[in-house]
Structures are given as structure tokens and as C-alpha cells.
């Protein structure tokens, strides 16, 4: 007698959304496994009972070889995933030498200068006079950690609950000492005598709590997949929606969503309703009824998502792909179309939030004012991936994601009575990854672009909706910003600008692994990045050349268990980061060479 195999259900989408066709090459260490779907018939249980009776006390079936019989797992049971990460970074001249000690508003990098260079320590009246500020103060260094726990609770064969919780997420080591300055130990008046660290608590000794819940959602999977709750969102390479599951990621796109996934004629179709913003609620320290209520739909931001894609998801599909791709050497082609529509009619005035701060966290219902926005956006995204093994030792992968954002905001002002300045949105971005590997050597090329904006302001701190050009309203918002988790370097885009925006870049790289095993890796990788701005007027130095960066990485990896990395990045900034005040014609400070040394030690489970 042979136990009949149950059909396998689609895997959980690798980062939620409509989620990740084409998850980035650096995928989640806590990736969700494929699980069997509920059986079509009910006789498997009877057959299993017969097998167990036949096996008897030995627990085997005998024959040519003893075959152990696996007893059915009892529900509920918990699947454990996560990682612990220790990370240490050092930046030399990360502020690019464009900060003038004691002069406010100077600097062209998002990496700050050491505190000795700020205004208050260089105004001549500090305890150190003029001796603190120094051109030689150029180094900042720190270490942080994160413990991520991402369990999946299997309630039944077709029902699961998932959560992701971060402990001490990016908390800088030494940032929460136990002394009176943080209102914890009045008997330790000076931090120099603190002998312990205390948990970070928002509003007491930190800006965030030591425990942060990132995800909590439930799934029901009969013939389809229904997922509801707060869940990670990922698509394609991750330039638009990125779950941030790589062990070195700092962010993550989490969405309150109801998702339905179906497979029709060999193609996956997913639709989702996203609760982006609920507007004013009755949430209040004096709430007596337990469950806060949303005060109407007029100020909500709603979003609808539809994706159509083709790629292997279920365990059975993945097994077929492995045979076809690695044994039969057939090419693999995956694709996906992803579309988002978002809208908001009215917005809650920012004055309502300031009123909350002034009243100890309580809101006055009659003072909650609405501002007309009548904003909408349509966001299409195309993802393509082609892979081919030429033989057992060599192959190629080509992957592309291209996205656009079209929309309009009828009113960007907080006061609709003074007119309704409007903005139109037209943004474009694309990323291309090409990689060829032969034996232990891999060579690749990353390239991409993100449309820019001619308004003053650059990087993630830019507010293009409210910006001006030569004193006139900037009617078109055209600066596309890659998701901050899509990383291609150590300094230029990741730290100094904050993300890829208003830029075109090209980055060749080479990687060599000393080990032939797929389970372990020991080697090095060298990346060379060249980047230019598409709109030079938006850069601090009004120059299109962003810079050249070389990054070297040494690594040792044990698959899904242990990672140890040591990286060094060297940046030669371009004229785009020279310090030239707005409206000035003369150059004040020329940007200077910078470098970083970074290390990570990660244990995964």
C-alpha cells in the first residue's frame, strides 16, 4: 500500500504583497516556507492509520529497506525563523568636508559631522571656547544590533498566523545608560559612573521602544490564499515596494492589507485592499469603550492593488523548475505586472496634531479640521526575469524592473482659504541587473535611473510637493525615489543621499568564492559605481557629477546559519556635493574624499 501524495498549495508570497515575484537576490533569511494544501479527499488519514498499524512497534515498513513512517504533526505547532545581527560602522569624512564649524546650515551630506563641529560648541562661549571645533574632527563610529523573531503559528493545515518582532532594533550600543540624565538612576548623577544599560523606552530615554512589532497577519488557504493584517510588501527587485528582508536592511514596507491570491490558467492573480491611512480616530488615553473608532471615511487614504505574474511559488512548481533549469538546461522566464491606485479626498490638518501635543495626547473633537486634497496616483510596475544555465558550471541572469507614478494633488496647502496650489506627478524609475557566473567567479552589471526634479532640494529630505523653482511654484513633481531598501553601495546613495533619486548610475562588479559548495562561501567582491544627476539644479553644488565609489567586501557564509562580512567603501564625490549656498555663484567648500569600514556578524535560524 502506498500513501497518496496530497497536492501542494502555492507558497506564501515571499514578502507579502502581491508580493515578490522576483524578490531581490538578497532575500529574506526568515523566508516563508511552502506548505502542503489541504487534501482533496479524506482517505489519506485512513491509509496513514493502516500504515502505522502495519509498521507496528518498529516504526518501519520493511521491504528492501526499512522505511520510517512519519506520524502526522499535531496542531497547532510553531515554525521559528529570524536572526541576530551585530553591526559596526565607521565613517571618515562622511560629511564630505563641507561643514563649516560653527556655521549653521552648512554641509551637503546626510551623514553628520562630529558633534564638536556644531554651532553651540563653536560659538566662543562654550566651556572649551574655540578649541573644540577642528578641521581634523572627521570620524564617527558606532555599533548597533537587532534580534528579529519571525514565527509562523500553524493553526491547521490551511490556517496560519505570522508575526515579525524586532528587539533592540538598530539601538546604538551605549545609547541608553543607567544614570540620572535619563531619569532612571538619580543616585548616579554623572554618566561617567553609569555601570549598566537600561531598555530603550520611547519618551523616556529613547525615541522608540526596545520591542517593535513589524508584522501580524493571518492566512487561510483552501483553494486560494486569503491574508489579512499588517504584512510586508515586496515586488520585483524592490525599487518600488521592498520588504527589507536582507540581513543588512534598515527599513521595510509594511502595509495594513487584505490580500487574495488565485491561480488561473497557470498565471497568479492577486488583489489587495490597503488601509494606508484611517485619518482621525477616537483613540485617546481617556477612551472608555476599548475599541477606537474611525471618525469617518472623508479623510482616509485608500489603495487598491492588482498584480498578475508568472513564477514558481508552490513546492511542486519549484521542484519542476529545478529539474527543468539545472538538469535539462532549459531557460527560465518569469514576469509580472503590478498596478496601484491610491486616493484621498480630505486630509486631517497638521494643526490637529499640534493640538494633540498641547493637550497631553488628547484630541478635541470639535477642533479636528479637514483640508481638501483631492489627491490620486496611479502606479504601474513591470518586472521581468530571464535565467539560463549553459552547463552545470555557468549561467546568466537578467532582471529588470521599471515603474512610473502618475497623479495629481489639487491642493498642497494647509489653508484652503488662500488658494489651492496644485501639483501634477510624473515620475519614472528603472533598475537592471545582469549577472554571469562560471565556476566560482561571478561578474555582473547593475544599472538604473530615477527621474529628477529641478527644484532645490536633494535626496530623501527633499519635499518636492512644497518646493519652488526661482520663486515660482514647482507645478510638476518628477523626482522618483527608489525604495530605501534597494541598495547598490555603501555610501553615495545609501548614506549621503538616502536613496537613488534624480540619478543615472552604472555599477560593474566581480565576485570570487573560494568554496565550491553551495552551503558555504568564502570570498571577496569588488563593486565600482559611477553616477550622475539628471537635474543638476537640484544638487547642492549645481553640478551633474555625483561621484565615483569603490566597495570591497570580504565574506564568509554558512547558508541560512551564519554570515560574517567586512566591507570598505571609498568615495570620490563629484561637484554635485560642493557647498554652494542657494542663490550664490561662488563656491564655498569643495567636497572631499570619504571612506567607510563596516562589519556584520549575523546568526540566522
Amino acid at each position: 500500500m502506498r500513501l497518496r501524495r496530497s497536492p501542494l498549495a502555492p507558497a506564501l508570497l515571499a514578502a507579502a504583497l502581491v508580493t515578490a515575484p522576483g524578490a531581490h537576490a538578497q532575500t529574506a533569511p526568515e523566508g516563508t516556507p511552502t506548505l502542503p494544501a489541504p487534501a482533496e479527499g479524506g482517505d489519506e488519514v485512513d491509509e496513514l492509520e493502516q500504515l502505522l498499524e502495519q509498521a507496528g512497534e518498529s516504526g518501519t515498513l520493511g521491504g528492501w529497506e526499512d522505511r520510517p513512517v512519519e506520524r502526522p504533526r499535531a496542531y497547532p505547532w510553531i515554525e521559528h525563523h529570524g536572526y541576530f545581527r551585530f553591526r559596526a560602522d565607521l565613517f571618515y569624512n562622511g560629511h564630505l568636508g563641507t561643514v563649516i564649524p560653527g556655521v549653521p546650515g552648512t554641509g551637503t551630506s546626510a551623514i553628520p559631522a562630529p558633534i564638536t563641529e556644531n554651532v553651540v560648541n563653536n560659538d566662543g562661549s562654550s566651556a572649551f571656547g574655540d578649541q573644540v571645533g577642528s578641521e581634523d574632527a572627521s570620524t564617527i563610529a558606532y555599533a548597533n544590533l537587532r534580534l528579529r523573531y519571525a514565527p509562523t503559528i500553524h493553526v491547521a493545515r490551511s490556517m496560519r498566523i505570522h508575526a515579525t518582532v524586532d528587539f533592540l532594533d538598530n539601538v546604538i550600543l551605549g545609547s541608553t545608560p543607567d544614570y540620572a540624565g535619563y531619569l532612571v538612576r538619580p543616585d548616579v548623577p554623572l554618566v561617567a559612573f553609569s555601570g549598566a544599560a537600561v531598555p530603550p523606552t520611547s519618551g523616556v530615554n529613547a525615541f522608540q521602544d526596545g520591542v517593535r512589532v513589524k508584522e501580524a497577519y493571518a492566512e487561510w488557504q483552501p483553494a486560494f490564499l486569503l491574508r489579512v493584517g499588517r504584512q510586508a510588501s515586496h515586488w520585483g527587485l524592490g525599487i518600488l515596494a521592498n520588504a527589507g528582508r536582507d540581513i543588512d536592511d534598515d527599513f521595510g514596507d509594511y502595509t495594513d492589507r487584505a490580500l487574495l491570491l488565485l491561480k488561473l490558467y497557470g498565471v497568479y492573480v492577486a488583489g489587495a485592499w490597503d488601509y494606508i491611512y484611517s485619518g482621525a480616530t477616537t483613540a485617546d488615553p481617556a477612551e472608555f469603550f476599548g475599541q477606537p473608532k474611525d471618525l469617518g471615511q472623508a479623510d482616509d487614504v485608500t489603495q487598491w492593488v492588482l498584480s498578475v505574474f508568472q513564477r514558481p511559488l508552490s513546492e511542486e512548481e519549484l521542484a519542476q523548475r529545478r529539474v527543468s533549469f539545472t538538469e535539462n538546461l532549459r531557460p527560465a522566464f518569469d514576469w509580472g505586472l503590478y498596478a496601484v491606485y491610491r486616493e484621498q479626498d480630505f486630509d486631517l490638518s497638521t494643526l490637529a496634531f499640534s493640538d494633540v501635543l498641547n493637550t497631553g495626547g488628547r484630541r478635541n473633537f470639535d477642533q479636528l479640521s479637514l483640508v481638501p486634497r483631492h489627491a490620486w496616483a496611479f502606479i504601474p510596475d513591470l518586472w521581468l526575469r530571464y535565467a539560463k544555465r549553459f552547463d552545470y558550471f555557468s549561467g546568466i541572469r537578467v532582471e529588470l524592473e521599471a515603474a512610473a507614478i502618475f497623479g495629481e494633488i489639487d491642493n498642497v496647502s494647509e489653508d484652503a482659504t488662500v488658494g489651492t496650489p496644485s501639483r501634477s506627478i510624473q515620475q519614472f524609475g528603472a533598475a537592471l541587473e545582469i549577472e554571469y557566473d562560471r565556476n566560482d567567479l561571478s561578474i555582473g552589471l547593475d544599472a538604473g535611473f530615477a527621474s529628477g526634479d529641478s527644484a532645490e532640494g536633494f535626496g530623501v529630505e527633499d519635499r518636492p510637493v512644497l518646493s519652488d523653482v526661482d520663486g515660482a511654484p514647482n507645478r510638476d513633481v518628477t523626482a522618483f525615489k527608489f525604495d530605501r531598501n534597494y541598495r547598490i553601495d555603501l555610501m553615495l546613495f545609501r548614506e549621503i543621499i538616502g536613496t537613488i533619486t534624480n540619478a543615472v548610475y552604472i555599477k560593474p562588479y566581480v565576485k570570487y568564492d573560494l568554496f565550491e559548495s553551495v552551503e558555504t562561501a568564502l570570498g571577496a567582491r569588488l563593486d565600482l559605481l559611477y553616477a550622475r544627476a539628471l537635474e543638476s539644479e537640484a544638487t547642492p553644488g549645481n553640478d551633474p557629477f555625483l561621484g565615483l565609489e569603490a566597495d570591497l567586501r570580504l565574506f564568509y557564509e554558512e547558508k541560512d546559519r551564519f554570515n560574517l562580512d567586512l566591507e570598505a567603501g571609498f568615495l570620490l564625490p563629484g561637484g554635485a556635493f560642493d557647498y554652494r549656498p542657494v542663490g550664490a555663484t561662488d563656491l564655498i567648500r569643495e567636497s572631499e574624499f570619504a571612506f567607510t569600514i563596516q562589519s556584520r556578524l549575523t546568526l540566522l535560524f
Side-chain angles (χ1 to χ4, degrees), residues 540-558:
N542 294 332
D543 190 280
F545 180 43
L546 294 176
L548 290 168
E549 181 173 337
D551 298 329
L552 176 64
R553 174 177 174 244
L554 306 177
F555 59 86
Y556 172 73
E557 300 174 357
E558 296 178 9

Side-chain angles (χ1 to χ4, degrees), residues 482-498:
F482 276 38
D483 191 284
R484 293 175 294 175
N485 278 312
Y486 186 81
R487 298 176 286 102
I488 62 171
D489 58 11
L490 294 178
M491 294 191 70
L492 178 60
F493 287 114
R494 181 175 185 177
E495 301 288 352
I496 292 176
I497 298 176

Side-chain angles (χ1 to χ4, degrees), residues 4 128 168 174 181 330 562:
R4 190 176 68 190
F128 296 93
L168 300 180
R330 295 175 181 171
F562 179 78

Side-chain angles (χ1 to χ4, degrees), residues 25 325-326 329 385-398 433-445 509-513 515-518 524-525 555:
F325 185 68
T326 61
L329 302 181
R385 178 171 62 192
Y386 173 84
K388 168 72 175 160
R389 299 302 299 177
F390 304 117
D391 51 45
Y392 181 78
F393 304 100
S394 63
I396 191 172
R397 175 184 63 91
V398 180
E433 296 183 1
I434 303 174
E435 184 175 46
Y436 171 80
D437 67 275
R438 182 169 183 81
N439 295 324
D440 301 325
L441 180 68
S442 299
I443 58 175
L445 178 70
Y509 66 87
V510 58
K511 181 176 70 172
Y512 186 76
D513 181 6
F515 294 165
E516 295 182 359
S517 170
V518 297
R525 170 169 166 160
F555 59 86

Side-chain angles (χ1 to χ4, degrees), residues 391-414:
D391 51 45
Y392 181 78
F393 304 100
S394 63
I396 191 172
R397 175 184 63 91
V398 180
E399 195 162 355
L400 169 72
E401 182 180 356
I405 303 177
F406 305 100
E408 188 171 354
I409 307 172
D410 283 350
N411 174 39
V412 299
S413 173
E414 286 298 311

